[in-house]
Amino acid sequence: MDEIRPNSGAQAHGLVPLFPPGLQAIYGECRRLYPDQANPLQVTAIVKYWLGGPDPLDYISMYRNMGCPAQDVQEHWHYVSFGLSDLYGDNRVHEFTGADGPSGFGFELTFRLKREVGETAPPTWPAELMQGLARYVFQSENTFCSGDHVSWHSPLDNSESRIQHMLLTEDPQMHPIQTPFGTVSFLQIVGVCAEELQAAQQWNGQGILELMRGIRIAGGPWLITDMRRGETIFEIDPHLQQERVDQGIETEGSNLSGVSAKCVWDDLSRPPDDEEDSRSICIGSQPRRLSNKDTEQIRETLRKGLEFNSKTALPPISGQKQNHDRAQSRKDSLDSESSAAIVPHELVRTRQLESVHLKFNQESGTLLPLCLRGRLLHGRHFTYKSINGDTAITFVSTGVEGAFATEEHPYAAHGPWLQILLTEEFVEQMLGDLHELGSQDEAKLPKEYSWPEKKLKISILPDSVFDNPLQ
């Protein structure tokens, strides 16, 4: 990428003879907010994505925002992306499907960074951060929604900052727009500490964002990221954890329905030399590919993200992709007519298993109490989708419809997708046995947990086991 100062008019961007309508629409919303900054500093992809370049965002504009003293909003830099939506309408990047649905992925990213004393120009590192998120969206085809979280595990600016993860919310100033190629909303990146990310996972992102809005140093009303913030909201106000977060988890449960993770599972009831129908995924084995139907169902569960789940049902397997309307598919994945039984793929039969062994890395393991307390005890489900293959593990409660695991056969596999049905009584037992998983001390790994009467075993293993499966 290269930093430039754009001039007004199509010629300045090499866009001749027609200024692209999608680009023009976003510029129009920016000009509404910044009428005196017609030519902001801008980071641009030298080789555009549609010409084979690595950066999906054509441009990131950077504005100086004076804040709002009346609302105690401090001065900051405001970054706006161009490229997740359809800028051109000629199918060079996004398939044009009409003006009634979302434009491209249906959103652009924004970011608000506190302006440090003496800064005369905005730092450019947020542009690379936004490009990284855009690459994830383009490669995975998973969209973001307000309340979603992003586990980054590194200071956002590559410093020593505690701000190492992100939440997403609606930009407080930029309004959704209608373009000739569809609708575009603006999702703002908000930098958070590890403890705040964990609270968002255990409860919900919107709840944590609302707490941050009430604390100026943590972001204030417009959720401005301060990379020098050294305290979490729970250190600033110790009452928040117990009075708001813990109470919220107890009464509402968690809105997180799935995560990408390092995980595998073994079918302990099958002899090691029995290759019939491809035994479940083991470390070091070659995974069988999920069918397109199964992949779409798991993807819809993960797309659900942090949105509220009002029905206790898994999404039905659909033979058709729903990428033509991503925003609607996220919302309907668990809220639509989803009580229909899952129809297995005709070439992969569903198998009932007698005994299973689940294996997770440290980070995935720490989410097991969330899965049990925040999801299953509230009649919901939770999915771990492996980042290293097509393995998936879905925990379901007895109140979840549409699952192929049942109380009679609580362990069931459809290719590399395992479902585990846990009764409320067993969930409570497991919570007592897994209470120590909140520790982040990897020196204590591996950890083994076993319930022989239930024929279930769980191992928490170092990352190296998953990163080097053949060693």
Side-chain angles (χ1 to χ4, degrees):
M1 293 188 299
D2 189 22
E3 186 178 336
I4 66 171
R5 238 181 230 282
N7 297 313
S8 59
Q11 295 275 355
H13 300 277
L15 303 172
V16 291
L18 179 66
F19 197 80
L23 195 65
Q24 179 68 49
I26 300 174
Y27 274 137
E29 178 62 12
C30 292
R31 284 194 297 270
R32 182 185 66 80
L33 286 183
Y34 303 105
D36 59 339
Q37 299 183 56
N39 301 310
L41 280 174
Q42 194 172 62
V43 172
T44 181
I46 297 177
V47 180
K48 298 295 186 283
Y49 193 70
W50 37 274
L51 293 175
D55 299 319
L57 302 176
D58 281 8
Y59 311 100
I60 296 101
S61 287
M62 303 176 287
Y63 297 90
R64 182 169 178 172
N65 191 301
M66 302 308 293
C68 180
Q71 298 183 43
D72 197 24
V73 175
Q74 56 195 320
E75 188 176 344
H76 58 279
W77 304 109
H78 192 195
Y79 301 75
V80 181
S81 77
F82 296 77
L84 285 162
S85 63
D86 191 350
L87 304 179
Y88 306 100
D90 57 6
N91 296 316
R92 72 178 72 180
V93 179
H94 301 280
E95 180 182 358
F96 175 58
T97 57
D100 295 334
S103 170
F105 289 103
F107 69 96
E108 293 289 352
L109 294 170
T110 74
F111 183 59
R112 295 175 186 268
L113 177 67
K114 178 185 176 183
R115 177 179 172 269
E116 299 296 341
V117 176
E119 271 187 342
T120 58
T124 57
W125 62 261
E128 182 54 42
L129 181 73
M130 297 166 85
Q131 290 283 15
L133 292 176
R135 280 190 285 271
Y136 164 78
V137 172
F138 272 83
Q139 291 166 9
S140 69
E141 295 188 349
N142 291 329
T143 60
F144 291 129
C145 284
S146 179
D148 282 353
H149 73 268
V150 179
S151 303
W152 200 251
H153 300 289
S154 178
L156 303 188
D157 61 352
N158 295 316
S159 67
E160 300 298 320
S161 174
R162 292 184 70 177
I163 308 300
Q164 301 188 12
H165 307 280
M166 291 166 273
L167 297 178
L168 291 147
T169 188
E170 297 93 348
D171 189 285
Q173 287 187 295
M174 300 193 73
H175 302 156
I177 58 174
Q178 178 69 48
T179 80
F181 313 133
T183 57
V184 181
S185 60
F186 296 91
L187 286 179
Q188 180 177 317
I189 301 164
V190 181
V192 297
C193 303
E195 295 84 351
E196 293 155 355
L197 172 77
Q198 185 179 34
Q201 292 173 327
Q202 294 175 346
W203 182 25
N204 65 72
Q206 297 289 10
I208 299 303
L209 288 165
E210 190 58 35
L211 297 182
M212 295 177 67
R213 287 187 181 97
I215 302 175
R216 185 179 190 272
I217 191 176
W222 293 3
L223 293 170
I224 299 164
T225 297
D226 180 0
M227 294 304 298
R228 296 187 180 184
R229 174 162 67 97
E231 294 180 300
T232 71
I233 58 174
F234 307 112
E235 292 166 342
I236 296 170
D237 185 350
H239 298 290
L240 290 180
Q241 178 68 49
Q242 183 174 4
E243 295 179 2
R244 299 293 297 277
V245 177
D246 292 346
Q247 184 179 358
I249 296 171
E250 185 69 25
T251 58
E252 304 166 18
S254 172
N255 287 351
L256 181 65
S257 64
V259 293
S260 297
K262 293 183 179 180
C263 62
V264 292
W265 60 272
D266 283 336
D267 176 5
L268 298 182
S269 54
R270 184 182 295 276
D273 57 351
D274 187 350
E275 297 298 330
E276 179 186 356
D277 195 29
S278 179
R279 72 192 299 265
S280 57
I281 306 307
C282 305
I283 295 178
S285 67
Q286 181 65 31
R288 172 185 290 224
R289 299 291 295 179
L290 282 173
S291 72
N292 289 337
K293 294 181 180 180
D294 291 339
T295 299
E296 183 63 20
Q297 179 174 358
I298 295 173
R299 177 178 289 171
E300 289 304 313
T301 300
L302 294 178
R303 278 183 188 156
K304 184 63 184 177
L306 299 173
E307 291 194 309
F308 184 68
N309 172 18
S310 61
K311 288 190 178 182
T312 55
L314 283 164
I317 293 179
S318 170
Q320 296 181 355
K321 297 284 186 180
Q322 301 181 24
N323 290 344
H324 64 279
D325 190 356
R326 293 181 179 85
Q328 189 64 30
S329 69
R330 280 187 62 110
K331 186 176 189 302
D332 289 347
S333 62
L334 297 178
D335 292 347
S336 61
E337 297 296 322
S338 51
S339 60
I342 292 176
V343 181
H345 188 266
E346 58 270 19
L347 298 180
V348 182
R349 65 186 177 89
T350 299
R351 297 182 289 114
Q352 283 77 43
L353 314 180
E354 292 183 8
S355 179
V356 295
H357 183 189
L358 312 181
K359 302 173 184 179
F360 301 96
N361 74 332
Q362 178 83 4
E363 180 182 6
S364 303
T366 59
L367 292 176
L368 282 169
L370 154 69
C371 164
L372 299 173
R373 179 179 294 108
R375 296 294 296 178
L376 269 65
L377 286 183
H378 290 265
R380 301 172 185 171
H381 58 85
F382 190 88
T383 294
Y384 287 94
K385 173 66 176 68
S386 173
I387 63 174
N388 294 326
D390 282 334
T391 305
I393 302 170
T394 297
F395 293 89
V396 299
S397 66
T398 52
V400 173
E401 299 176 348
F404 46 79
T406 65
E407 290 192 58
E408 183 180 1
H409 300 288
Y411 312 132
H414 189 64
W417 182 12
L418 174 69
Q419 286 189 9
I420 298 179
L421 187 146
L422 302 177
T423 64
E424 183 175 342
E425 180 182 6
F426 189 24
V427 169
E428 294 283 7
Q429 179 185 348
M430 291 179 67
L431 281 170
D433 296 336
L434 298 173
H435 69 278
E436 64 180 11
L437 281 182
S439 170
Q440 295 289 331
D441 186 2
E442 195 159 329
K444 295 181 179 179
L445 299 184
K447 294 180 179 178
E448 303 284 345
Y449 304 91
S450 181
W451 298 268
E453 72 283 2
K454 298 292 185 179
K455 298 182 179 180
L456 175 64
K457 182 179 179 181
I458 295 178
S459 296
I460 312 299
L461 305 171
D463 278 356
S464 58
V465 175
F466 300 87
D467 297 336
N468 302 287
L470 299 180
Q471 291 184 357

